[in-house]
Amino acid sequence: ADNNLTLGNLSATGQSATLTVAGAVLDGDTGADNTDITANNLSITAASVGTSANAFDTDVNLLSLDLGAGGAYLSEANGLVVTGAGIRSAGSLSLISRSGDLLLNADLILSGSASLSLQAIAGAVTQTALSTVSTQAGDVSIEGQSGASVARVISQSGRIGVLATEGPFVVPADSSGVNYGDQPVRILGTGVDIGAQLAGSGSIEFTLPSQQANLAGLTLETAHLVFSANELNALASSVPIVVGDTQGL
């Protein structure tokens, strides 16, 4: 036996579903975006879930994953919350929400060269104080169409990008703090508002084509703004940091 599990149109509406497989959990339907599993709470332990050519399609409210080197490719119908034990993966992870928000309420930890891609095509990506995103050598890409509020993303050597393609990037003043570690971070949003203290030694880059902003009396008219955590904290001590109308990375 190959120790794989292939699913198509499994319904556990309102219930918890736990899948434990030595091999892969695979998409068993024949059409694009047809739901493979419906559940309230989905927990998967497997060597891998889905493939880059054929993502595993879910319609769940709560998600936790424990993955091997194969990682996971998931396509969620209506948004979900990463919760419980969170996500642990030795392989790259791609999670796309086709409609609705992605809420990170637990840790997402990827090891080795595994990369992370989170995308809310028609929603926002928000991180609570209970969540930290971390990778070792892998890149991190987080994108929310209507907004993004992600405060704790750390990579030892990977690149980090957080995008709000049609909405604001906001970290409220009541956040437990902002930590992007020691790697450069690129942020995009129709507005950028960081109201919490920053930690880490890496720089934070805002892209501001044809945009003028005033931060604590400092007029900035360049296409890209790059600050260290200490510089941003110094500015925030006198006025809130607000940067508007960013367009692209």
Side-chain angles (χ1 to χ4, degrees):
D2 58 12
N3 295 317
N4 294 337
L5 175 64
T6 300
L7 292 178
N9 197 29
L10 176 64
S11 179
T13 303
Q15 304 298 313
S16 295
T18 300
L19 307 178
T20 302
V21 182
V25 176
L26 299 171
D27 183 339
D29 62 50
T30 58
D33 299 336
N34 288 341
T35 302
D36 296 311
I37 186 168
T38 300
N40 178 53
N41 189 343
L42 176 62
S43 176
I44 301 178
T45 299
S48 65
V49 178
T51 67
S52 58
N54 193 6
F56 188 70
D57 300 306
T58 64
D59 186 357
V60 303
N61 295 322
L62 309 173
L63 177 69
S64 60
L65 302 170
D66 189 351
L67 304 168
Y73 298 86
L74 294 102
S75 178
E76 162 61 26
N78 297 302
L80 56 77
V81 180
V82 175
T83 190
I87 294 176
R88 304 288 190 278
S89 182
S92 295
L93 172 68
S94 171
L95 171 58
I96 296 173
S97 173
R98 304 192 301 275
S99 176
D101 300 336
L102 291 177
L103 177 62
L104 312 181
N105 196 46
D107 291 339
L108 289 79
I109 300 175
L110 281 70
S111 59
S113 61
S115 62
L116 174 66
S117 176
L118 302 176
Q119 183 181 15
I121 294 176
V125 180
T126 303
Q127 183 183 42
T128 74
L130 298 178
S131 171
T132 295
V133 173
S134 67
T135 69
Q136 291 181 330
D139 295 341
V140 178
S141 174
I142 299 175
E143 179 178 336
Q145 181 264 344
S146 62
S149 180
V150 180
R152 286 164 300 283
V153 182
I154 300 172
S155 180
Q156 292 181 16
S157 59
R159 297 170 297 178
I160 300 172
V162 183
L163 292 75
T165 55
E166 298 180 28
F169 176 91
V170 177
V171 178
D174 61 358
S175 168
S176 61
V178 180
N179 190 346
Y180 292 123
D182 301 328
Q183 295 300 308
V185 178
R186 304 177 71 190
I187 291 175
L188 176 148
T190 57
V192 176
D193 186 342
I194 299 179
Q197 285 291 104
L198 286 87
S201 60
S203 64
I204 299 179
E205 176 180 327
F206 305 105
T207 300
L208 300 171
S210 304
Q211 174 65 30
Q212 177 174 306
N214 190 281
L215 305 179
L218 177 64
T219 299
L220 305 162
E221 300 182 17
T222 57
H224 292 79
L225 309 180
V226 181
F227 302 100
S228 70
N230 287 339
E231 288 170 336
L232 280 173
N233 285 332
L235 291 173
S237 66
S238 55
V239 295
I241 298 173
V242 180
V243 180
D245 293 341
T246 55
Q247 296 297 319
L249 292 181

